Amino acid sequence: MEMKIVILPGLDGTGVLSCKIRESLSANYKVETISYPPNLSHYNELLDWLYALLPSEDFIIVAESFSGPLAAMIAAKHPKFLKGVVFVATFAQRPRNLPASFAYILQVVPIKSSYLAQMVQPILMGKWSNRDFTSTFKQALNKVPASTLSKRLAEVLKVDVISQLTEISVPTLYLQAKHDRLVPQRMSAPFNRTSATFCTIEGPHFLLQANAGETATKISEFIGSLN
């Protein structure tokens, strides 16, 4: 089956951090990494913007972290050419019990500082931290206003797309990071409402960056199962 892969990025929305998984998949598939407009932050407005850009050929969505709820919203609308969804280290409801006001801390914290980028590596990447990722991570942050990151985090802290999951009719795959320090393992449970296959992969929350090889293999196997 000729298949296109559409990658939806994490909170930064730039697609900059998707370079390794894109390289791993592009040898066998057409791969498009979506970059969200930096002025868009709410799920509903991102849904409207993205839905108009969906391919007019068979495709699957690979949705990372922040974009998981967005992928669920898209799939629930039954796009004509959508054949499946891969959810990666993501959630259908807010993954942490933090007040929504917590998101606004990002407006006053110097998030684009080199010090902060290095400081959060143990949480984001764990033992997979390296200078290349730190540099790429800083590049991604520099492309997005702090206010946009703050608003997107606020969306995460109030999201609930459980009802949309029940509307998904295409096959789904949930890839869980074994050492995820941001999204608890229990967040995968709501995806049982879809026809999901579940797979745990060695790696941190930034699974597509730390273990692109194995995630690409699982995505390829999923595509093969759609034939």
Side-chain angles (χ1 to χ4, degrees):
M1 178 187 294
E2 186 72 17
M3 187 69 67
K4 184 172 187 176
I5 299 173
V6 176
I7 300 176
L8 304 185
L11 189 74
D12 62 287
T14 63
V16 169
L17 295 169
S18 301
C19 55
K20 287 189 175 181
I21 188 64
R22 185 172 62 247
E23 291 172 2
S24 296
L25 291 168
S26 59
N28 298 309
Y29 305 100
K30 292 182 288 184
V31 182
E32 178 182 5
T33 300
I34 299 297
S35 180
Y36 301 145
N39 62 311
L40 297 185
S41 54
H42 300 294
Y43 279 122
N44 284 331
E45 62 186 9
L46 284 167
L47 173 65
D48 292 341
W49 176 83
L50 183 56
Y51 202 84
L53 300 178
L54 294 180
S56 56
E57 60 184 304
D58 290 345
F59 73 101
I60 69 162
I61 291 173
V62 175
E64 179 184 17
S65 190
F66 169 81
S67 288
L70 181 58
M73 295 165 74
I74 291 171
K77 294 171 69 69
H78 310 292
K80 180 178 180 180
F81 295 100
L82 179 65
K83 301 303 178 183
V85 181
V86 179
F87 295 100
V88 183
T90 189
F91 44 85
Q93 294 175 305
R94 66 178 186 174
R96 296 287 181 181
N97 290 322
L98 297 172
S101 58
F102 177 82
Y104 296 100
I105 294 175
L106 289 180
Q107 294 190 26
V108 295
V109 173
I111 62 172
K112 297 183 181 182
S113 72
S114 297
Y115 174 75
L116 183 62
Q118 294 173 359
M119 185 177 67
V120 299
Q121 296 308 298
I123 299 174
L124 301 180
M125 291 287 280
K127 68 179 181 180
W128 291 269
S129 294
N130 57 70
R131 290 182 179 179
D132 287 344
F133 175 79
T134 301
S135 176
T136 306
F137 182 65
K138 288 190 290 185
Q139 290 177 30
L141 291 183
N142 286 335
K143 292 178 176 289
V144 190
S147 59
T148 298
L149 292 172
S150 172
K151 291 174 183 176
R152 287 177 183 169
L153 182 55
E155 287 287 286
V156 169
L157 295 178
K158 65 182 181 181
V159 70
D160 187 337
V161 295
I162 298 294
S163 62
Q164 282 88 339
L165 290 180
T166 64
E167 297 295 323
I168 297 175
S169 58
V170 296
T172 62
L173 170 66
Y174 187 96
L175 298 180
Q176 187 167 61
K178 186 175 182 179
H179 304 282
D180 197 329
R181 297 182 179 180
L182 288 182
V183 177
Q185 291 189 358
R186 67 178 184 277
M187 289 294 101
S188 65
F191 292 86
N192 281 313
R193 292 170 169 79
T194 71
S195 58
T197 299
F198 293 85
C199 180
T200 299
I201 295 178
E202 187 74 14
H205 179 68
F206 276 61
L207 192 59
L208 299 184
Q209 294 73 32
N211 198 343
E214 188 173 352
T215 53
T217 296
K218 295 301 180 183
I219 292 169
S220 295
E221 291 175 353
F222 174 69
I223 292 174
S225 72
L226 301 177
N227 292 330

